[in-house]
Amino acid sequence: MKKNNAKRNTILSILFFLPVAFIIIMMLSKDNYNPLDIVNKNVKELPNNEENISLKNHITLLAFFGKNPLQHSVAALNLKELVYDRTKGFKKFQVVVLLPKEAKAEAEQLLKQIKSYEDLRFWHFVYADDADIKSVYNSLKTHEPLSASLSTNSVFIVDKDRYQRGRLDDRTKKEIEEKKPSYPLYGYDCIAVSELKNKLAAEDMRVLFKEYRDKRTGKFEGSTTRRADDLKN
C-alpha cells in the first residue's frame, strides 16, 4: 500500500512540475527568428484618393483586381477568408485593392459577395487612373507583368516604410538539402490556397507582425536575411 502511494505521489509530482519546468525553460530561452526579407525599397505611394488611404505607416496587402473585379471573386474570397480574417485585429493592418475608376460598380458587387457578416473596415478599394495603377505596380518587384485589364492574382506585402517584403529564398528544406538553386517569392498567389494559408498567413505575416511588436518593445535586433542559417548550412 505504501509502495502504491509513493508511486502515485511521484507521478503526481512529475505531472505538476513538468508544465512549470516547461514554462521556465520558455521564459529563459531567447526567441530567435529571422525577420521577413526586404525584397524592394522603392514601392510607390498610392495616388490621391477620396478616403486618403496610404501605404505609409501601414502594414498592407496590396492587390490589383483590374477592370473586371468580379472575375477575381475567388482570389478576393481566398484573401479575405485565409488572410484578412486572421490578421484584421493587428494594429495598422490593411488590405488595399487598387482598381481603375471604371471598375467601381463591379467592385461594390464584389464587396457584397465577400462581406457576409464580417467586419471589412480594414479592406479598402482605391480607385485611380490607369497610368497611376501601372506606376504603382511597376514599382513592385515581381516576375509577371500586369495584365491588359490591370489585374493580377498576386498580392504583395508592403510594410510601414513602403518596403516590399517577401522571401529572397523560397526553397523548401528538402530543396536546400539537395542544393537546388535558390529562387525568390515576391508576391503570393491568391488562387493557391496553400500558399496563402501556409506561407502568407501562417508564417510571413506572423513574422512581420512580431517584428513590429518587438520594435515597439525594444526587443528587435534586426537581420538582413530571413533564413540565413538555412542558407549557410
Side-chain angles (χ1 to χ4, degrees):
M1 187 72 178
K2 291 182 178 179
K3 185 176 181 181
N4 290 335
N5 288 336
K7 184 177 181 180
R8 183 189 64 184
N9 292 335
T10 301
I11 294 173
L12 289 175
S13 297
I14 292 173
L15 292 175
F16 175 79
F17 285 109
L18 191 60
V20 175
F22 176 77
I23 292 172
I24 292 174
I25 291 171
M26 291 296 293
M27 291 176 63
L28 293 177
S29 64
K30 189 175 182 181
D31 188 10
N32 292 320
Y33 70 99
N34 292 317
L36 192 61
D37 290 334
I38 296 173
V39 298
N40 173 27
K41 292 186 176 182
N42 300 304
V43 179
K44 190 169 182 178
E45 182 57 271
L46 298 175
N48 292 333
N49 56 86
E50 293 179 0
E51 297 183 8
N52 294 320
I53 305 300
S54 64
L55 299 177
K56 186 70 175 176
N57 295 323
H58 290 83
I59 298 173
T60 305
L61 289 178
L62 182 60
F64 300 80
F65 290 163
K67 298 178 180 180
N68 306 108
L70 283 174
Q71 294 181 0
H72 297 271
S73 58
V74 173
L77 191 60
N78 287 344
L79 184 59
K80 185 257 181 190
E81 292 188 344
L82 299 176
V83 187
Y84 177 85
D85 287 351
R86 298 176 61 174
T87 54
K88 62 184 178 183
F90 287 90
K91 191 174 183 180
K92 293 294 185 178
F93 167 75
Q94 63 181 2
V95 170
V96 172
V97 183
L98 196 52
L99 297 162
K101 294 177 180 178
E102 64 195 75
K104 188 170 184 177
E106 271 200 29
E108 291 176 352
Q109 294 180 52
L110 178 61
L111 192 63
K112 290 179 181 179
Q113 286 187 12
I114 67 173
K115 188 172 184 179
S116 184
Y117 298 102
E118 298 292 336
D119 176 10
L120 290 180
R121 284 179 298 163
F122 311 108
W123 181 296
H124 307 292
F125 287 130
V126 173
Y127 304 98
D129 295 330
D130 292 9
D132 289 331
I133 294 173
K134 291 177 183 178
S135 181
V136 172
Y137 188 82
N138 290 336
S139 73
L140 295 164
K141 185 163 282 190
T142 176
H143 293 302
E144 60 183 74
L146 203 59
S147 75
S149 66
L150 305 179
S151 68
T152 177
N153 284 326
S154 294
V155 63
F156 305 89
I157 302 175
V158 182
D159 71 14
K160 294 183 179 182
D161 296 308
R162 287 194 286 117
Y163 292 168
Q164 182 181 348
R165 298 296 190 104
R167 303 185 181 197
L168 293 174
D169 184 2
D170 191 36
R171 289 179 298 173
T172 63
K173 290 183 179 180
K174 184 177 180 181
E175 288 175 328
I176 293 173
E177 291 171 358
E178 294 175 351
K179 301 188 184 301
K180 299 285 187 181
S182 64
Y183 53 87
L185 179 65
Y186 298 136
Y188 303 78
D189 188 350
C190 290
I191 302 300
V193 171
S194 61
E195 190 165 298
L196 280 190
K197 183 178 180 180
N198 300 325
K199 290 185 179 181
L200 179 57
E203 187 172 349
D204 292 3
M205 291 301 292
R206 180 182 59 81
V207 168
L208 185 57
F209 286 132
K210 178 169 177 53
E211 176 186 324
Y212 277 102
R213 281 197 300 267
D214 287 352
K215 284 179 177 178
R216 288 198 301 270
T217 58
K219 296 179 181 179
F220 181 69
E221 295 182 356
S223 175
T224 55
T225 56
R226 184 171 178 277
R227 291 193 290 177
D229 292 338
D230 286 340
L231 292 175
K232 289 178 181 178
N233 294 330

